[in-house]
Amino acid sequence: MKSLDFSPAVLAALGAAALFGASTPFAKLLVGGLSPFLLAGLLYLGSGIGLTLVRLFRDRGWKSPGLPMAEWPWLLGAIAAGGVAGPVLLMAGLAHTEAATASLLLNLEAVLTAVLAWVVFRENADRRIVLGMVLIVAGGALLAVPGAGQATAGLAGPALIAAACLAWAVDNNLTRKVSASDALFIAGIKGLVAGSVNLGVALFAGSTLPTVTVAAPAMLIGFLGYGVSLVLFVLALRGLGAARTGAYFSTAPFIGAATAILMLGDSTSLQFWLASGLMAAGVWLHLTERHEHEHTHEALEHRHRHVHDAHHQHEHDFEWDGTEPHTHPHRHIPVTHKHAHYPDIHHRHRHS
């Protein structure tokens, strides 16, 4: 029987899933009283402001993020897809779908993330990952059938949530391109830009700013469920790649569904539990995957937080006090070896 993998990158992905999954039912409580754009703006502003304050405290003031110019287009594209389009589509979909069902439908994000990673960005896939995705898609399709628990009959709610998942899938793959950079900066700037855009659109459309008693909870949900969650997600992308991070993140909907059932009293049906079983089986296949083969690392130069492990055997051109982990530009020499690995920032090689 295969054992579960709980490496730091996996734990980061599961932590991101837990925070985001629990945020969906809480956001559902705010739907109706606020427009989708206004709610999305508050969620992301809470994320951006909170993470920026954390970063300022960590660095004892403002410091340049050191993001290379070539990576800015990837980050801006991720902000547009995941920070602007995704949350608005989700909030609109929640208005037509019960929170528990919506939470499980969010599993489609993992599937679409993986498909884009494989087809567009050429990450590798094995049979366990593919089969797991098939089971998750089957569960999502079952939930989309009228009668599976939607608050309003029809496919409008599930279709909007599926569109949000596609937006976040694009976001995940673009963020993978910048995942070696400061996770706090990436998540914080995404929150500030996306929150400002969504809030501006809401005010232009005629919405008015809510009272503090409404705005504060929304921003707190955003800080934890979108901000801290995204920081952990970026760290997981760095260690796992987009497809597998999405696979681990697919535990989020189960946390959201459980929260909705326990806290909001959402109703369930036979379809709901059948879909849950299919999706749970798919997630288990992902959590028990192991990928190992002989591979070659080409020469590579980049900058990220690291320790001197098997992949970081380099000299320093500055006086080093031995502190680890640390951050500086460094060069990897070509090496061929064999060990269990994921398509992280050091293992983005092709497979024969």
Side-chain angles (χ1 to χ4, degrees):
M1 182 175 179
K2 289 182 176 289
S3 61
L4 299 179
D5 178 6
F6 290 108
S7 64
V10 169
L11 291 175
L14 293 175
L19 288 170
F20 181 73
S23 74
T24 300
F26 285 105
K28 171 73 174 179
L29 294 173
L30 301 173
V31 171
L34 301 173
S35 73
F37 276 103
L38 183 59
L39 180 53
L42 291 173
L43 289 170
Y44 268 97
L45 276 180
S47 164
I49 293 173
L51 293 179
T52 299
L53 291 175
V54 170
R55 185 167 178 264
L56 289 173
F57 177 79
R58 182 198 67 182
D59 296 341
R60 293 181 172 83
W62 174 259
K63 290 185 179 179
S64 172
L67 188 70
M69 287 299 298
E71 294 185 3
W72 276 99
W74 300 115
L75 179 58
L76 294 176
I79 292 172
V84 178
V88 172
L89 291 166
L90 175 62
M91 296 306 118
L94 282 174
H96 301 282
T97 313
E98 286 201 359
T101 299
S103 292
L104 287 184
L105 280 170
L106 290 176
N107 261 315
L108 295 176
E109 178 186 345
V111 178
L112 295 170
T113 295
V115 170
L116 289 177
W118 298 332
V119 175
V120 179
F121 295 95
R122 302 300 181 184
E123 279 191 19
N124 71 289
D126 63 19
R127 286 177 294 179
R128 292 180 71 84
I129 292 293
V130 174
L131 179 57
M133 291 300 180
V134 169
L135 292 175
I136 292 172
V137 169
L142 188 59
L143 282 175
V145 175
Q150 293 99 304
T152 302
L155 298 177
L160 286 167
I161 293 172
C165 290
L166 177 59
W168 278 319
V170 173
D171 173 13
N172 295 339
N173 278 278
L174 296 182
T175 301
R176 172 184 179 268
K177 292 286 192 177
V178 299
S179 60
S181 299
D182 184 2
L184 269 178
F185 171 75
I186 292 171
I189 194 66
K190 180 182 291 187
L192 290 174
V193 174
S196 299
V197 170
N198 279 297
L199 187 63
V201 171
L203 296 177
F204 181 78
S207 296
T208 56
L209 290 175
T211 62
V212 174
T213 56
V214 175
M219 295 179 75
L220 178 60
I221 293 170
F223 172 65
L224 296 173
Y226 287 70
V228 178
S229 175
L230 181 55
V231 170
L232 294 173
F233 192 89
V234 172
L235 295 176
L237 282 173
R238 184 182 300 171
L240 300 174
R244 285 163 180 79
T245 298
Y248 283 94
F249 194 73
S250 60
T251 57
F254 297 103
I255 298 168
T259 303
I261 293 168
L262 293 174
M263 293 190 58
L264 306 183
D266 276 10
S267 60
T268 58
S269 65
L270 178 60
Q271 282 173 282
F272 177 87
W273 291 113
L274 288 175
S276 297
L278 288 170
M279 291 180 168
V283 171
W284 178 81
L285 287 171
H286 295 158
L287 292 173
T288 54
E289 181 228 3
R290 182 178 176 85
H291 182 75
E292 182 174 354
H293 63 92
E294 185 175 88
H295 55 278
T296 298
H297 295 267
E298 303 295 340
L300 172 67
E301 291 188 24
H302 60 179
R303 172 192 174 99
H304 66 93
R305 189 175 174 86
H306 64 277
V307 297
H308 284 201
D309 55 18
H311 296 98
H312 295 89
Q313 298 297 321
H314 52 256
E315 299 295 332
H316 295 83
D317 57 3
F318 58 89
E319 186 175 345
W320 176 44
D321 60 6
T323 301
E324 291 185 331
H326 58 189
T327 304
H328 63 88
H330 55 277
R331 176 180 173 83
H332 295 269
I333 61 174
V335 62
T336 298
H337 58 183
K338 177 179 179 179
H339 63 93
H341 63 279
Y342 295 103
D344 57 25
I345 58 175
H346 299 110
H347 294 91
R348 294 179 179 171
H349 49 260
R350 294 189 177 274
H351 294 73
S352 57

